[in-house]
Amino acid sequence: MRALPRASSGHGAPGRHTARQGRAITPYLFIAPAFIIYAAFMLYPLARAVHLSLYDWDGLSLATFVGTGNYTDILSDTRLRAAFGHAGAFIFFYAVLPCGIGLVLAAVLTRAKARGLALFRTLVFLPQVIAMVVVSVAFKQIYAPDGLLNSVLRSIGLDSLTRAWLGDYVFSLPAVGLIGSWVSTGLVTVLLLAGMARIPTELFEAARLDGAGAVREFLYIIVPSVRAELTVALTLTIVASLKTFDLIYMTTSGGPGSSTTVPSYEVYRRAFETGQVGSAAAIGVTLTIIIFLVTLAVNRISERGA
Amino acid sequence: MRVSATERTLNYAILIGFSLIVLTPVLSILAAAFGPANASAAREGAFHPGNFATAWVEGRFGQYMGTSVLVAVIVVSLSVLLSILSGYAFGTMRFRGEQSLFYLFLLGIMVPSEAIIVPLFFDLRTFGLTDTVWAVALPQVAQSVAFGTYWMRAYFKSVNPSIMDAARVDGASKGRILFSILVPMGRPAITTMVVLMFMWTWNEFLIPLVMSPSGEFRTAPLGLAFFQGQYTQGTALLAAAAVMVALPVVVLYFLMQRHFIKGMLEGAVKE
């Protein structure tokens, strides 16, 4: 807000009001309001994050310059290394697994041209619109010691498998990850269904005549045809996996120990709980760079393959 | 394409099985929300819609929902207006620095809240702006405007230029062409954008969590998080609260699911 009058004054400089120049500044006048808020609340804080990340600062006293120290910590600090490792695991649960399931599911449904597909699409997309906080509350009840999952396991005689899923050192990470899979799979499936709907039916008929089976049809017709949709699906889900914060905040707070902590949760914890503001900024910047590189890489790979 | 009877059965089995996986958490939380809150309530019967009223009062959701509505109105109306203006310039006008400016906006779609939240909090605290509705809303306007500029530019680029030429010949100004012709014509694109921005704003968690440390401008999802902290035992009230927090977006989703799905497919690069 403070930047408002200062930043806009540049456009209305006196002595530039001839008709032609007046027209030349029109586009900038249309963009200015959006750009001022965007610059003040996105670009400037981003630059400040880079600046802060070079300091050791507790948020109150004087900051000391540490250069790239906060960044090298990401490699040496075991808790931070674990956080980034978990982000990798979340890519599997949010992106890879849903894309695998979504491909098969959408292929089967496209082949079938089943009735009720529209209703199904509406239904599987539902997890995308429910707030993650609400999703977390629902799954916490399912994973609870006396929750639905353990009840089902008990009823089929698998009592030995029951446990407090979110409090378990080994199982909490996959348990939280699968919540991400539950959210992502519908999005991926709907995206891929849209892509597959554009494949001309003649292509399948020709393949059938050549004696292609369902598997070859899947590998040689369906998968290559939806490459663009798969790229979008992977980009969206990978970015979502790297930014997962509310889920961790609500379900495990990174625990037990540090077994489910993720970079975004470490940003919050360090900046607002343990007074390591510089380190938090460095994690945020690193996360941004990773999101950038991943987006670029996924799109490059898909372009090269085409 | 001909499909055998077994394959068809299998297909429906997959459709139904998958729908069940999606619905189980949704139905289980609905069931819990209408279930008994404690042992004495359990004796009175199985159906307890009163949980919603109790959660609403005890969890102060009236206040949190009010804040959420206020934040959503500010973010969506401001973002939509600013995005239409900037998208119009990017989509219909030629000017120096156009490309680099556009890429600058595009950058904002990819920057996660996690990166900007730390300096935002400490800088706004210095100015005494934390714990105001603006600290919660304006960072979200910045994010939404990045997406909105990209989205509206695509719409304005798709408009047939002869429509604008005709209006110009009739003497219409740039602003008049925009608001009398292009905006009414672009209602589908704008509706999709409004719906998406509303969903993102309503569901946002990190920004309101950090930017209102006193809790004065706590939105509904945050209210739910803090309610969870208080009610570790009673799942019924927590579930009822969760249903209330999800309801506005879910109702909107079922009313406008075409727009939602289309929007998520075409331009949901933000989340």
Side-chain angles (χ1 to χ4, degrees), chain B residues 23-109:
Chain B
L23 281 176
T24 302
V26 177
L27 294 179
S28 73
I29 202 164
L30 270 174
F34 285 103
N38 50 46
S40 69
R43 264 175 260 125
E44 287 160 22
F47 187 65
H48 299 267
N51 289 339
F52 289 92
T54 313
W56 180 270
V57 174
E58 284 189 22
R60 295 163 70 195
F61 277 94
Q63 184 196 332
Y64 301 147
M65 290 282 191
T67 306
S68 270
V69 170
L70 177 68
V71 171
V73 166
I74 294 175
V75 173
V76 175
S77 55
L78 209 54
S79 307
V80 166
L81 179 66
L82 300 189
S83 302
I84 288 175
L85 293 176
S86 63
Y88 181 47
F90 281 116
T92 64
M93 304 171 197
R94 298 274 137 276
F95 50 94
R96 202 185 301 161
E98 185 187 343
Q99 271 232 316
S100 22
L101 258 178
F102 180 65
Y103 281 126
L104 213 52
F105 272 104
L106 216 52
L107 176 81
I109 295 177

Side-chain angles (χ1 to χ4, degrees), chain A:
Chain A
M1 286 310 283
R2 271 162 197 272
L4 249 157
R6 210 187 320 141
S8 60
S9 65
H11 295 294
R16 307 178 77 206
H17 283 292
T18 61
R20 171 170 293 197
Q21 275 167 331
R23 211 175 302 136
I25 67 159
T26 315
Y28 303 106
L29 290 179
F30 275 100
I31 292 169
F35 188 77
I36 289 161
I37 291 193
Y38 175 67
F41 289 91
M42 177 69 85
L43 295 179
Y44 176 71
L46 188 61
R48 281 280 288 151
V50 175
H51 182 228
L52 271 179
S53 72
L54 304 174
Y55 288 82
D56 188 8
W57 186 41
D58 61 5
L60 297 164
S61 57
L62 229 60
T64 33
F65 185 79
V66 290
T68 55
N70 289 324
Y71 290 93
T72 47
D73 269 359
I74 293 172
L75 297 169
S76 58
D77 183 323
T78 47
R79 194 183 163 99
L80 276 184
R81 243 189 7 219
F84 278 91
H86 298 152
F90 272 90
I91 291 181
F92 172 79
F93 284 111
Y94 267 78
V96 178
L97 190 65
C99 282
I101 297 171
L103 265 176
V104 174
L105 193 68
V108 168
L109 296 177
T110 301
R111 249 174 81 95
K113 296 215 185 314
R115 233 179 294 166
L117 208 57
L119 178 70
F120 175 76
R121 208 174 47 192
T122 308
L123 213 59
V124 296
F125 200 77
L126 184 63
Q128 280 292 318
V129 309
I130 300 177
M132 209 53 168
V133 195
V134 176
V135 171
S136 306
V137 170
F139 272 90
K140 265 187 98 163
Q141 293 185 2
I142 291 174
Y143 284 140
D146 57 351
L148 185 65
L149 180 57
N150 283 335
S151 308
V152 169
L153 287 173
R154 265 183 223 112
S155 72
I156 54 174
L158 292 172
D159 298 59
S160 57
L161 291 180
T162 60
R163 66 196 73 229
W165 294 93
L166 294 172
D168 190 291
Y169 274 89
V170 178
F171 286 93
S172 56
L173 187 69
V176 175
L178 282 171
I179 304 176
S181 311
W182 181 80
V183 172
S184 288
T185 305
L187 168 72
V188 172
T189 307
V190 170
L191 260 168
L192 293 173
L193 275 172
M196 288 178 197
R198 280 199 291 274
I199 304 175
T201 319
E202 299 85 59
L203 218 56
F204 291 110
E205 279 162 4
R208 296 277 163 87
L209 284 176
D210 288 344
V215 174
R216 279 175 59 190
E217 199 175 275
F218 178 74
L219 289 178
Y220 295 111
I221 299 179
I222 293 181
V223 175
S225 313
V226 294
R227 180 173 279 137
E229 283 78 11
L230 200 57
T231 307
V232 175
L234 273 173
T235 312
L236 288 178
T237 51
I238 291 175
V239 170
S241 76
L242 292 172
K243 289 168 40 168
T244 186
F245 171 77
D246 23 16
L247 180 59
I248 299 295
Y249 182 93
M250 286 295 286
T251 53
T252 64
S253 305
S258 61
S259 57
T260 58
T261 194
V262 289
S264 59
Y265 190 75
E266 285 302 306
V267 170
Y268 175 78
R269 204 179 71 93
R270 281 170 192 244
F272 307 111
E273 283 174 1
T274 63
Q276 297 163 275
V277 179
S279 169
I283 301 166
V285 172
T286 308
L287 202 61
T288 311
I289 295 170
I290 293 177
I291 287 176
F292 237 85
L293 293 179
V294 165
T295 312
L296 212 66
V298 171
N299 287 283
R300 274 284 156 77
I301 291 168
S302 108
E303 267 169 34
R304 195 172 305 158

Side-chain angles (χ1 to χ4, degrees), chain B residues 114-185:
Chain B
E114 285 80 356
I116 55 165
I117 196 79
V118 176
L120 264 178
F121 173 76
F122 289 101
D123 286 345
L124 290 181
R125 192 184 63 176
T126 310
F127 290 121
L129 283 171
T130 47
D131 273 321
T132 63
V133 69
W134 302 109
V136 177
L138 289 179
Q140 298 190 69
V141 174
Q143 287 183 330
S144 286
V145 150
F147 164 78
T149 298
Y150 165 80
W151 180 260
M152 290 316 297
R153 172 184 178 260
Y155 159 67
F156 287 115
K157 271 196 180 300
S158 75
V159 174
N160 188 343
S162 63
I163 295 170
M164 281 174 267
D165 289 337
R168 208 168 298 140
V169 170
D170 289 344
S173 68
K174 282 204 155 60
R176 190 166 160 81
I177 294 175
L178 174 62
F179 287 107
S180 306
I181 301 170
L182 298 178
V183 166
M185 253 175 67

